[in-house]
Amino acid sequence: MNTEVTNPMPGNNWRVRDGEIVTQRLFDVAYSIDLARLETLWAQRPGGASRRGGFRKTPPKAVAFDVPPLVLPLEPVTVDLGHHAHTAQVEVRVYDFGAVSIALRIAVTHCEWRAYTALLNEVDRHIGPAVEHPLWEHLLARLFDVAGAAFERPNRSGLQEDYLYGIVRAFEQPVPPASLIDDRGLVELLSGETVPLGEGTRRDLLRQRFSYYEDDLVVLTWDRAFIYDPRGDSDVADVLEIANAQLLEMRYYDELLDDELPHMYDLVEAAQRALLPGAPRRYAELARRLYGLVAEVTELKERVDNALQVTEDVYLARLYSAALDLFRVAGFSQAVDRKLAIIRDTYIALYDEASGRRAELLELTIVLLILFEIVMAFVH
C-alpha cells in the first residue's frame, strides 16, 4: 500500500509526492545460468512474463550490458514493519554469471519528508542487511522451484550483498538539491542515525554526490543511496546493482580460492611423497586440475568484469566508477588475481617437476636396461 503519514520530527515540511523505497538483496546461486532456458521455463508458469534488462534513458551505444539480465516479476508480498504493513512489488533479476538480485519496492506517495526518512530506516531495521528475514529465502526458493534446471552447478554459498535505495521522483513543491544536501533528514536517510553526526562524519557521508541536471541528485554510500530524479527515467539504480553484483562475485571467487590454496598445498605434499614410478602421473594430474581451476575462474572473472560496458555516457561512467571504488570491487579483484597467480606458478612448477620426474624415470630405466644387459652377458 502507499504510505501517507505525519511528520515524526521537526524540520523542513517538504512532502514526497511520488517516490519509493527499494531494498535489494543479491545472492550467488550457481556457476552460471542459461538465461535462454530460464526464459523458456519461466514462460511455462501462469503469468510467466519476463523481459531482458536494459537502460531506459541511455542509448545502447553509450552504455550496455555484456549479457542483459533476465527480469522476472513475482507476486507482490506484504512486508510487516512493526506498526504498519506495506505491500511491496517484487522484481528478480538473473545474471548469466550466476548472480540473482531480488528487489522489494514499496511505493510512497504524499508523504512528509521526515516520515519518508523514518520509513526507509524502518525498512532497514525489519528486512535490511542485519536481519535474517525468512522472506528472502522464501522468494529465492520460489525462483529455484521454477527455474533451477537452468542453473549450471547450483550452489548455496550463503554469500549475499544488500543495498537500500531511497528514490524520489517528485516533491509536492520543487526542492533544490542544495537544500537536500543541507538537510538533516538526508543524513539520517543515508546513515540510519537519528542522533546528529559530527561535521567530519557528515561531510564524508555526503562526499559521493552527483548531479547531471541542476534539479537532480544522487548520493552514494557503502550500503545506501538516495536518488532524486524529477524526470523519473534514471538508470542509476541499474548501474549500482551491477556494481553490487560484481562485488558479490569477486567475494565468491576470493573465498573459493582461499579454500582451494590450503588444499592445493596438501595435494602438492602428497605428490612429493609419491614413489618415483607413480610420481610423474600424480604431478601431471594435479597440474591439470590446477590449470582447469585457473581457466575456469579466469573466464568467469572476465565475464563479471565485462558485465557492463560504459563508453559514451560520462555521467553514468563517473557513477559506476565511484560505486566500484566505494564497494572496493578492485581490491577483491586484485586479491583474486594474486591467488590465481600463485596457482599458475604452482602449475608451472608441477609441470616442470613432472617433466623432471619423467626424465629421472627414463634415466633409471636406461640404467636398469644396461645392468640387465651386463648381467645377461655374464650369465651366458
Side-chain angles (χ1 to χ4, degrees):
M1 71 182 204
N2 292 344
T3 299
E4 185 170 4
V5 293
T6 58
N7 196 342
M9 65 186 76
N12 289 313
N13 58 355
W14 305 323
R15 290 181 65 84
V16 176
R17 188 179 71 200
D18 179 21
E20 62 181 339
I21 292 168
V22 181
T23 178
Q24 183 181 75
R25 193 165 291 195
L26 296 95
F27 303 85
D28 178 80
V29 298
Y31 168 75
S32 65
I33 301 174
D34 185 340
L35 298 185
R37 186 176 185 190
L38 175 54
E39 209 166 1
T40 301
L41 292 170
W42 196 261
Q44 296 171 0
R45 71 189 291 271
S50 64
R51 62 180 176 84
R52 286 302 180 106
F55 294 98
R56 294 177 291 277
K57 176 184 177 183
T58 314
K61 68 175 183 176
V63 56
F65 292 107
D66 181 38
V67 177
L70 189 62
V71 183
L72 310 172
L74 286 175
E75 294 77 13
V77 297
T78 300
V79 178
D80 185 3
L81 300 181
H83 299 297
H84 301 281
H86 299 267
T87 299
Q89 303 299 316
V90 183
E91 183 179 86
V92 178
R93 287 193 176 208
V94 184
Y95 292 88
D96 71 319
F97 48 77
V100 167
S101 164
I102 301 177
L104 304 182
R105 299 178 174 274
I106 299 175
V108 181
T109 59
H110 306 293
C111 176
E112 294 186 4
W113 170 241
R114 300 297 183 181
Y116 175 83
T117 297
L119 176 62
L120 183 139
N121 286 322
E122 283 297 314
V123 169
D124 183 53
R125 279 191 287 270
H126 285 82
I127 55 175
V131 181
E132 292 298 326
H133 199 288
L135 175 61
W136 297 106
E137 287 296 330
H138 171 69
L139 294 172
L140 190 61
R142 286 167 62 182
L143 177 65
F144 263 88
D145 289 343
V146 176
F151 296 171
E152 182 182 347
R153 285 160 51 185
N155 71 75
R156 302 300 291 271
S157 65
L159 278 180
Q160 302 175 14
E161 283 297 331
D162 303 84
Y163 212 68
L164 188 61
Y165 303 83
I167 300 174
V168 175
R169 287 179 284 270
F171 287 96
E172 297 286 0
Q173 299 292 332
V175 177
S179 298
L180 282 167
I181 292 170
D182 292 336
D183 184 70
R184 173 185 163 188
L186 180 60
V187 173
E188 292 177 5
L189 183 150
L190 293 169
S191 67
E193 298 286 349
T194 57
V195 177
L197 301 180
E199 183 57 31
T201 304
R202 182 181 177 281
R203 188 167 52 249
D204 290 341
L205 190 69
L206 299 172
R207 189 183 303 278
Q208 298 287 355
R209 61 179 186 265
F210 306 86
S211 291
Y212 189 78
Y213 298 104
E214 64 178 10
D215 61 348
D216 62 24
L217 176 67
V218 175
V219 187
L220 307 181
T221 71
W222 166 256
D223 58 352
R224 299 184 183 196
F226 174 70
I227 302 173
Y228 177 35
D229 180 26
R231 289 156 194 82
D233 55 4
S234 172
D235 293 318
V236 171
D238 293 335
V239 169
L240 296 181
E241 179 181 287
I242 278 285
N244 269 300
Q246 289 174 306
L247 170 63
L248 174 71
E249 292 304 303
M250 288 302 118
R251 285 182 57 212
Y252 171 74
Y253 299 139
D254 186 48
E255 292 193 7
L256 174 70
L257 295 177
D258 273 344
D259 293 340
E260 189 64 34
L261 286 174
H263 184 52
M264 179 189 74
Y265 297 143
D266 292 341
L267 292 175
V268 170
E269 288 182 6
Q272 290 173 338
R273 290 195 299 267
L275 297 177
L276 186 57
R281 178 178 57 81
R282 295 283 295 275
Y283 277 113
E285 289 176 353
L286 181 54
R288 282 194 297 271
R289 180 178 180 278
L290 295 181
Y291 178 79
L293 175 65
V294 169
E296 178 180 296
V297 174
T298 301
E299 178 192 358
L300 285 176
K301 183 176 179 295
E302 288 179 356
R303 285 165 62 186
V304 173
D305 286 338
N306 298 324
L308 187 66
Q309 304 293 333
V310 183
T311 55
E312 298 179 12
D313 194 308
V314 177
Y315 178 63
L316 281 184
R318 286 176 58 217
L319 274 165
Y320 182 47
S321 177
L324 293 177
D325 288 343
L326 190 62
F327 301 159
R328 302 196 294 274
V329 175
F332 283 103
S333 181
Q334 290 166 6
V336 171
D337 287 338
R338 285 195 299 269
K339 290 161 190 173
L340 285 174
I342 292 172
I343 296 176
R344 287 193 192 97
D345 292 343
T346 304
Y347 160 74
I348 293 171
L350 287 171
Y351 183 81
D352 292 342
E353 188 72 21
S355 299
R357 290 298 182 96
R358 287 193 189 96
E360 291 176 11
L361 184 59
L362 181 60
E363 291 172 1
L364 180 61
T365 303
I366 293 172
V367 169
L368 290 175
L369 286 174
I370 293 172
L371 289 174
F372 179 74
E373 291 290 336
I374 293 173
V375 170
M376 291 302 296
F378 277 109
V379 169
H380 289 300

